[in-house]
């Protein structure tokens, strides 16, 4: 019997319509599931999947290592920190978070703020106030109303540690000592100092309604690190603090002044590049200094390192800590760890999953001992909703040492995934039906 082609077409059309209705319901259900998945994506991102590399070291083990380090070095200083100047990692800590007076080590902050205030094309003029000229020894011996170039006064500040110079600079840059102290505290917070409070620009012992003029060895090392590696005026800071001697005059030319660098550490160790001494009756001898050798930038900060007649204690402690850093630590790229990423489930997509890749991390070198370990934490979404663009960030990889993060990189989708639409569902149905 001959088949009627018209009937066959009508049957085919009915089948297609029924299929569209069925797939419409299925796609609608899929969309509902996708919405729920999208609502959970934020929680998934926060929770993610976290695992450590084989190089993981426990917090207890890290603490034990730090305690062993502290016991291995006998220091005069009540508070001391040895820091990797490049990464900011603390390599040695003896009560480094204890707030103490810091005397004239304060002046490194005064100096860097003055340098950042200066412009290359204009000479800043400082006029001496009565407050500045009345400061106690050690002082340049300024006269009220006299004028100087700010650039010259930086050598008086850092080489001879003159207290009147510090106040004159503060009043020029900040308008008043109080305003300049606010600038100092703001900069300290920006750098990451959490237990530092400035009242004076010269470091003389002081107290107000908010507390005493103080810092910690850790914060002091952070300030020096900023001056050397992060400030836009780091080269100028080094040039000033490395100068052996400097002679200048007041603007009128009626008086000439000579300054000699009192940072003896510059001549004590090969690679010494900067530093600042300090002393008050309350603070004792203090010091912050830096050394650059074999690619290692080491910073030492000491507080309460003896009182008269023990002026040399700070040099003994500084050399001990610098040698400890030079002999016990080596640079390691903490991102040089093999990491594999997993495929990511896709909801409402034209494929069920998408492959992921690790964005090439920037080389990050940190000073580490032979028994130090890198901890790798991977956080990644459990699902993602289509459409997904190629290169979408779906996770992060964190690189840590002793619980501190020093580098982070992204996990990205390797390809894109298009959304599953009604038209796509129909097209797939027809392909299945016909082929």
């Amino acid at each position: 019997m001959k088949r009627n082609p018209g009937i066959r077409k009508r049957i085919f059309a009915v089948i297609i319509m029924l299929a569209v209705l069925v797939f419409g319901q299925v796609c609608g259900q899929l969309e509902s599931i996708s919405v729920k998945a999208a609502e959970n994506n934020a929680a998934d991102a926060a929770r993610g999947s976290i695992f450590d590399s084989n190089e993981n070291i426990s917090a207890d083990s890290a603490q034990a290592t730090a305690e062993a380090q502290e016991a291995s070095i006998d220091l005069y200083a009540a508070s001391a920190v040895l820091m990797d100047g490049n990464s900011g990692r603390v390599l040695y800590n003896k009560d480094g978070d204890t707030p103490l007076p810091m005397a004239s080590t304060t002046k490194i902050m005064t100096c860097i703020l003055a340098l950042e205030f200066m412009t290359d094309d204009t000479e800043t003029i400082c006029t001496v106030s009565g407050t500045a000229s009345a400061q106690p020894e050690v002082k340049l011996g300024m006269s009220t109303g006299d004028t100087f170039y700010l650039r010259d006064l930086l050598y008086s500040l850092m080489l001879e540690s003159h207290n009147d110079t510090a106040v004159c600079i503060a009043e020029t840059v900040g308008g008043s000592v109080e305003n300049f102290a606010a600038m100092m505290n703001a900069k300290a917070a920006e750098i990451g100092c959490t237990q530092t409070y400035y009242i004076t620009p010269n470091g003389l012992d002081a107290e107000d309604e908010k507390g005493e003029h103080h810092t910690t060895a850790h914060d002091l090392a952070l300030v020096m690190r900023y001056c050397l590696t992060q400030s836009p005026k780091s080269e100028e800071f080094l040039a000033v603090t490395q100068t052996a001697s400097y002679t200048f005059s007041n603007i009128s030319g009626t008086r000439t002044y000579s300054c000699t660098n009192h940072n003896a550490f510059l001549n004590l160790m090969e690679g010494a590049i900067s530093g600042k001494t300090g002393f008050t009756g309350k603070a004792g001898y203090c010091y912050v200094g830096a050394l650059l050798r074999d690619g290692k930038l080491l910073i030492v900060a000491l507080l309460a390192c003896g009182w008269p007649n023990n002026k040399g204690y700070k040099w003994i402690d500084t050399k001990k800590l610098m040698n400890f850093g030079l002999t016990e630590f080596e640079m390691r790229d903490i991102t040089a760890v093999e990491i594999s990423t997993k495929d990511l489930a896709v909801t409402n997509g034209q494929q069920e999953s998408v492959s992921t890749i690790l964005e090439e991390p920037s080389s990050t070198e940190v000073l580490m001992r032979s028994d130090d370990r890198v901890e790798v934490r991977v956080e990644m979404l459990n699902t993602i909703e289509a459409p997904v663009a190629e290169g979408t960030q779906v996770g992060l990889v964190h690189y840590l040492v002793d619980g501190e993060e020093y580098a982070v990189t992204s996990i990205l989708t390797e390809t894109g995934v298009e959304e599953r639409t009604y038209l796509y569902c129909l097209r797939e149905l027809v392909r299945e039906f016909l082929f």
Side-chain angles (χ1 to χ4, degrees):
M1 185 175 77
K2 188 175 181 180
R3 295 180 180 178
N4 188 330
I7 294 175
R8 186 168 56 188
K9 289 182 179 179
R10 285 194 294 272
I11 293 173
F12 180 73
V14 170
I15 292 173
I16 292 295
M17 291 176 64
L18 290 172
V20 168
L21 289 174
V22 171
F23 266 74
Q25 292 177 345
V26 171
C27 288
Q29 291 174 353
L30 288 172
E31 286 182 352
S32 175
I33 293 172
S34 297
V35 168
K36 292 179 180 179
E39 291 173 350
N40 292 328
N41 274 350
D44 290 338
R47 183 171 62 251
S49 57
I50 303 176
F51 61 88
D52 300 333
S53 75
N54 292 330
E55 294 197 348
N56 181 40
I57 181 170
S58 69
D60 291 340
S61 177
Q63 179 64 28
T65 300
E67 290 174 354
Q69 289 176 11
E70 182 171 331
S72 66
I73 304 178
D74 184 23
L75 298 176
Y76 292 108
S79 177
V81 157
L82 171 66
M83 179 177 287
D84 174 2
N86 289 311
S87 70
R89 185 191 181 201
V90 174
L91 309 178
Y92 176 89
N93 185 347
K94 177 186 177 182
D95 294 327
D97 293 319
T98 301
L100 291 169
M102 68 284 216
S104 286
T105 58
T106 297
K107 294 180 173 108
I108 64 171
M109 177 64 88
T110 303
C111 180
I112 202 65
L113 286 179
L115 283 169
E116 292 179 356
F117 172 81
M118 293 165 56
T119 59
D120 295 332
D121 56 349
T122 304
E123 283 284 9
T124 303
I125 296 175
C126 302
T127 301
V128 182
S129 70
T131 301
S133 63
Q135 292 299 301
E137 297 287 351
V138 173
K139 59 194 297 184
L140 180 64
M142 297 174 158
S143 299
T144 303
D146 208 352
T147 55
F148 297 84
Y149 290 119
L150 175 57
R151 192 174 303 276
D152 290 332
L153 291 185
L154 294 179
Y155 295 89
S156 166
L157 177 77
M158 298 303 288
L159 275 56
E160 293 280 358
S161 200
H162 290 141
N163 292 318
D164 50 354
T165 296
V167 171
C168 186
I169 290 173
E171 291 176 334
T172 300
V173 174
S176 68
V177 168
E178 293 74 20
N179 288 344
F180 188 77
M183 293 171 63
M184 298 171 81
N185 288 315
K187 178 61 74 172
E190 176 189 321
I191 292 169
C193 301
T194 59
Q195 298 191 78
T196 294
Y197 180 55
Y198 293 107
I199 300 174
T200 71
N202 48 27
L204 293 176
D205 297 328
E207 186 175 359
D208 63 15
E209 67 280 359
K210 294 182 180 179
E212 295 184 336
H213 184 90
H214 70 269
T215 190
T216 66
H218 179 253
D219 281 2
L220 183 57
L222 284 177
V223 176
M224 177 59 90
R225 178 176 179 244
Y226 173 80
C227 293
L228 297 176
T229 68
Q230 298 170 308
S231 170
K233 294 298 184 74
S234 58
E235 290 185 8
E236 290 92 332
F237 178 85
L238 273 171
V240 171
T241 58
Q242 289 176 352
T243 299
S245 61
Y246 188 81
T247 301
F248 65 97
S249 301
N250 55 1
I251 293 178
S252 64
T254 57
R255 293 189 65 184
T256 300
Y257 304 86
S258 294
C259 301
T260 301
N261 199 327
H262 290 272
N263 179 18
F265 178 64
L266 292 175
N267 300 312
L268 287 179
M269 290 189 72
E270 176 190 351
I273 59 171
S274 186
K276 184 71 189 74
T277 59
F279 174 81
T280 67
K282 193 170 188 177
Y285 291 110
C286 304
Y287 184 67
V288 57
L291 179 143
L292 179 62
R293 192 196 297 179
D294 302 329
K296 304 172 186 178
L297 177 60
L298 300 173
I299 296 172
V300 165
L302 307 170
L303 297 175
C305 192
W307 274 259
N309 295 308
N310 298 306
K311 196 172 184 178
Y313 281 178
K314 60 182 178 290
W315 307 129
I316 297 172
D317 282 2
T318 298
K319 289 179 69 175
K320 279 185 180 181
L321 290 174
M322 291 297 188
N323 282 321
F324 178 70
L326 290 170
T327 58
E328 295 293 322
F329 293 85
E330 295 296 333
M331 299 296 293
R332 284 173 55 190
D333 183 0
I334 63 170
T335 63
V337 180
E338 288 293 329
I339 299 173
S340 58
T341 60
K342 63 182 181 180
D343 289 352
L344 180 63
V346 179
T347 58
N348 196 33
Q350 294 184 16
Q351 60 191 59
E352 295 181 352
S353 64
V354 61
S355 58
T356 62
I357 57 173
L358 185 68
E359 186 178 42
E360 187 68 26
S362 299
S363 175
T364 302
E365 292 190 323
V366 176
L367 282 176
M368 301 176 65
R369 300 182 83 177
S370 59
D371 56 350
D372 284 334
R373 295 291 179 266
V374 178
E375 179 187 355
V376 177
R377 294 182 183 173
V378 178
E379 298 178 326
M380 187 171 167
L381 292 173
N382 290 327
T383 61
I384 191 169
E385 184 177 11
V388 180
E390 178 183 346
T392 298
Q393 185 188 71
V394 292
L396 294 172
V397 177
H398 306 267
Y399 302 86
L400 306 92
V401 181
D402 288 348
E404 291 290 329
E405 182 178 298
Y406 295 98
V408 63
T409 192
S410 298
I411 300 173
L412 309 174
T413 55
E414 191 169 18
T415 60
V417 180
E418 293 184 14
E419 182 181 9
R420 179 165 42 207
T421 62
Y422 286 114
L423 182 59
Y424 168 80
C425 294
L426 179 59
R427 191 167 58 245
E428 289 300 300
L429 174 64
V430 171
R431 183 179 293 113
E432 285 291 324
F433 184 81
L434 295 178
F435 303 106

